[in-house]
């Protein structure tokens, strides 16, 4: 068992980091925000953490906290104008932000070393630390789902008109979701930098953007378990199909299309719904039956002379 763990330890770390990024995407989708900015916030968190450790000499833990804060700060700056947009306009705006961040990491060579990236980052986030952080974030998001904020986000996702009629402030809750998404993505980027020794701009490009969004769609958008299941599946697939290395993206695309067509709610959300329905049926089967009410004898029907056809 230990040999298996050490053999695939880097894969486990990769799954946990992408689970963090998938949860950042899940938060905004839950609030009805069509954001594609998780990759950009992850790049800000990763480069902020790496630069503070390598060039400024900060302690790694302080640098991770600073990278998380930078991701949250960037999302807070964008949250107010973004809450005024809807649908595809939100997606285009966040996509533009990702492109700006990538251009800065590639062309600001005096700070980011350009396409070479930053190396020599001490590894302080091992599998245990990553697992502990992911469990803490899952607990936080699950608690938020039981709170009024999470319920309000669910209503907004389903129908903004209904949310407004119930007195829910749609811009306020979407800003909260967007800022929390930036914090989680910044934390995920900082953890990626602190667990991989080096980072390059290519890690935070279009590939990460599509992968993170696909993880949430594959796993499910209505529960935090969907992000975890989607991250585990799409991160493990390249290892399972190592023989077909040239067709990995094709296999992932086919799998995603099948899930969208046959499991539109996602793998995890569909499984949770089935378990919930089975539990309800089991409870209904064990519920005590109401005692049968005794039959009341009917009174005889007395016909009048007219109804009986008797003529006077």
């Amino acid at each position: 068992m230990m040999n298996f763990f050490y053999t695939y330890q880097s894969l486990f770390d990769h799954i946990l980091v992408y689970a963090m990024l998938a949860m950042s995407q899940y938060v905004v989708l839950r609030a009805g925000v069509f954001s594609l900015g998780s990759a950009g916030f992850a790049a800000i968190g990763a480069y902020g953490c790496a630069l503070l450790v390598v060039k400024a000499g900060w302690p790694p833990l302080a640098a991770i906290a600073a990278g998380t804060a930078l991701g949250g700060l960037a999302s807070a700056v964008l949250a107010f104008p973004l809450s005024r947009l809807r649908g595809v306009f939100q997606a285009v705006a966040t996509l533009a932000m990702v492109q700006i961040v990538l251009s800065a990491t590639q062309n600001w060579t005096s700070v980011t070393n350009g396409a070479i990236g930053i190396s020599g980052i001490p590894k302080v986030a091992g599998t245990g630390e990553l697992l502990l952080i992911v469990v803490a974030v899952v607990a936080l998001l699950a608690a938020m789902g039981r709170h009024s904020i999470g319920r309000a986000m669910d209503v907004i996702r389903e129908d903004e008109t209904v949310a407004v009629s119930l007195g829910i402030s749609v811009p306020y809750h979407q800003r909260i979701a967007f800022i929390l998404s930036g914090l989680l993505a910044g934390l995920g980027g900082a953890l990626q930098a602190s667990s991989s020794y080096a980072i390059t701009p290519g890690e935070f490009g279009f590939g990460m953007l599509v992968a993170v969004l696909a993880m949430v769609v594959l796993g499910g958008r209505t529960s935090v378990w969907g992000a975890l299941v989607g991250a585990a599946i799409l991160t493990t697939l390249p290892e399972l199909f190592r023989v077909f290395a040239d067709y990995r993206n094709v296999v992932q695309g086919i799998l995603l299309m099948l899930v969208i067509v046959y499991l539109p709610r996602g793998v995890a959300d569909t499984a949770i719904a089935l378990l919930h329905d089975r539990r309800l049926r089991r409870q209904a089967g064990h519920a005590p039956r109401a005692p049968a009410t005794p039959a009341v004898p009917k009174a005889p029907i007395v016909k009048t002379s007219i109804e009986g056809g008797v003529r006077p």
Side-chain angles (χ1 to χ4, degrees):
M1 183 65 182
M2 294 303 296
N3 292 333
F4 176 82
F5 172 75
Y6 287 123
T7 302
Y8 294 99
Q9 184 176 6
S10 60
L11 176 62
F12 295 149
D13 294 347
H14 199 54
I15 291 174
L16 293 173
V17 170
Y18 265 84
M20 184 70 64
L21 298 176
M23 285 188 287
S24 74
Q25 185 69 49
Y26 152 78
V27 170
V28 287
L29 291 179
R30 179 172 186 170
V33 181
F34 194 10
S35 170
L36 301 176
S38 295
F41 299 133
I44 293 174
Y47 271 88
C49 175
L51 290 172
L52 290 174
V53 170
V54 175
K55 295 191 175 183
W58 280 37
L61 294 180
I64 292 175
T68 304
L70 287 174
L73 180 61
S75 62
V77 172
L78 293 176
F80 288 90
L82 191 69
S83 62
R84 298 177 178 272
L85 303 177
R86 291 293 179 272
V88 67
F89 299 101
Q90 290 178 333
V92 172
T94 52
L95 184 61
M97 183 274 298
V98 173
Q99 196 62 39
I100 292 172
V101 173
L102 288 180
S103 298
T105 57
Q106 291 174 351
N107 300 320
W108 199 3
T109 55
S110 60
V111 176
T112 63
N113 296 333
I116 300 175
I118 301 175
S119 58
I121 308 170
K123 182 175 181 178
V124 295
T127 306
E129 291 80 6
L130 292 174
L131 181 60
L132 183 62
I133 294 174
V134 169
V135 170
V137 173
V138 169
L140 173 65
L141 295 180
M144 186 188 74
R146 294 189 295 268
H147 197 265
S148 59
I149 294 179
R151 297 190 183 98
M153 290 181 180
D154 292 337
V155 176
I156 293 171
R157 182 190 67 242
E158 295 299 330
D159 196 327
E160 289 189 12
T161 304
V162 175
V164 173
S165 66
L166 294 175
I168 298 174
S169 176
V170 175
Y172 171 75
H173 287 86
Q174 289 189 343
R175 288 170 195 154
I176 291 178
F178 196 68
I179 293 173
L180 182 57
S181 174
L183 286 170
L184 294 179
L187 177 59
L191 293 176
Q192 181 171 351
S194 302
S195 62
S196 59
Y197 299 106
I199 56 173
T200 58
E203 299 176 21
F204 306 96
F206 189 73
M208 174 182 282
L209 186 153
V210 174
V212 171
L213 183 61
M215 288 172 185
V216 181
V217 174
L218 178 65
R221 297 177 298 158
T222 60
S223 70
V224 67
W225 301 110
L228 300 178
V229 171
I233 293 175
L234 288 185
T235 308
T236 309
L237 273 181
E239 293 296 327
L240 297 178
F241 294 96
R242 186 184 291 271
V243 180
F244 307 100
D246 296 335
Y247 304 99
R248 290 178 185 175
N249 293 332
V250 176
V251 173
Q252 291 183 5
I254 293 175
L255 177 62
L256 192 60
M257 290 177 61
L258 291 175
V259 169
I260 291 174
V261 173
Y262 296 103
L263 296 174
R265 299 177 62 179
V267 176
D269 287 355
T270 302
I272 292 172
L274 291 176
L275 292 175
H276 181 68
D277 292 342
R278 180 177 298 179
R279 185 170 63 253
L280 291 178
R281 288 196 299 268
R282 186 177 303 171
Q283 292 175 354
H286 291 289
R289 297 183 178 179
T293 56
V296 179
K298 297 181 179 180
I301 301 175
V302 180
K303 297 183 178 181
T304 63
S305 60
I306 298 177
E307 293 173 343
V310 180
R311 297 183 179 180

